[in-house]
Amino acid sequence: MIFLNKESTKKGKIMKTISIINLKGGCAKSTTAINTAALLAMKHKKRVLLIDNDPQGNTSQFFGAYDENTLCGSAEILINKEPSNIWKVLEGVNLIDANMTLLEADNQVRSSMERQDNRLAAFLEKKAADYDYCIIDNPPAILMCTINALCASDEVIIPVTLDNWALDGVEVITRQIEALHTLNQKLKIAGILLTNYKKSIENEMAEKWLRENCPYKVFDTRIRHSEKAVAATYYKEPLEKYSPRSAAAVTYRKFVKELQEIENGI
Ligand SMILES: Nc1ncnc2c1ncn2[C@@H]1O[C@H](COP(=O)(O)OP(=O)(O)OP(=O)(O)O)[C@@H](O)[C@H]1O
Ligand SMILES: [Mg+2]
């Protein structure tokens, strides 16, 4: 499926690939990947390829694009095959699915003698004219598929839900990303995104510390906690559709606008 719009067919426009990553579990990586992809398409009229790169398959399950008995698209890419199915999940958003077969492919590829880190990059190079953005939802672990995502990405966004261990988590992932610079010199840390944010004295202090001490950009927008974010997973709808006035939807809109403004140099 090819989506065309005037802006994206302008000469020189190329797909931007963004990995959503943190080795800490449950910090809203999938929620951020899903809602960022949805908003780029729905509000900013971008053509988006969303890649579920996590064997848990949460993003695929979210969109009802999960079949545990079939070799998933992200596993196919890892073993150098063309994905047999790319799911159209929203107007302007196509999805490459994941399930546990990605973990099997990951193990298989690790024992191969051939080069393993550049398979997703090679696949995305072929797709660069069809999309404005590729958003990759990553697992909370450094697997070969995670290394492939970092080798294929222009930027990473690190979602962080504040707690006492969150700040150590930022240090761990940023160190891993810096270590990968030899494999992908163009890779940049776009910024740290505070997610599932609840106002409390402790969170305000942790946020202040992070903004003052973190050597990377911390996005101005904080994604607010909202029960609607959990409910939306049952209805399989991005927040913009399910509950556009919820605090989480409002702040995801604000975040994607901030991201676009940074990109456009505003
Ligand atoms: N803004 C929010 N408000 C309330 N709940 C949220 C919000 N963002 C995420 N959640 C909930 O937090 C939980 C974890 O979110 P999510 O699955 O996106 O995290 P993850 O980082 O992808 O987890 P994993 O490491 O397992 O892949 C989910 O139940 C999700 O619905
Ligand atoms: Mg996830």
Side-chain angles (χ1 to χ4, degrees), residues 19-78:
S19 266
I20 314 293
I21 191 164
N22 190 334
L23 299 187
K24 201 163 182 298
C27 57
K29 293 179 290 296
S30 301
T31 307
T32 300
I34 290 164
N35 288 290
T36 301
L39 284 162
L40 283 168
M42 292 168 76
K43 286 279 172 198
H44 299 270
K45 305 290 168 231
K46 303 294 182 189
R47 307 164 301 167
V48 183
L49 178 63
L50 176 58
I51 299 186
D52 189 352
N53 197 38
D54 181 350
Q56 293 181 98
N58 291 155
T59 292
S60 308
Q61 285 165 343
F62 181 90
F63 284 111
Y66 184 81
D67 179 358
E68 60 187 355
N69 300 312
T70 313
L71 186 65
C72 64
S74 47
E76 290 178 301
I77 293 171
L78 204 58

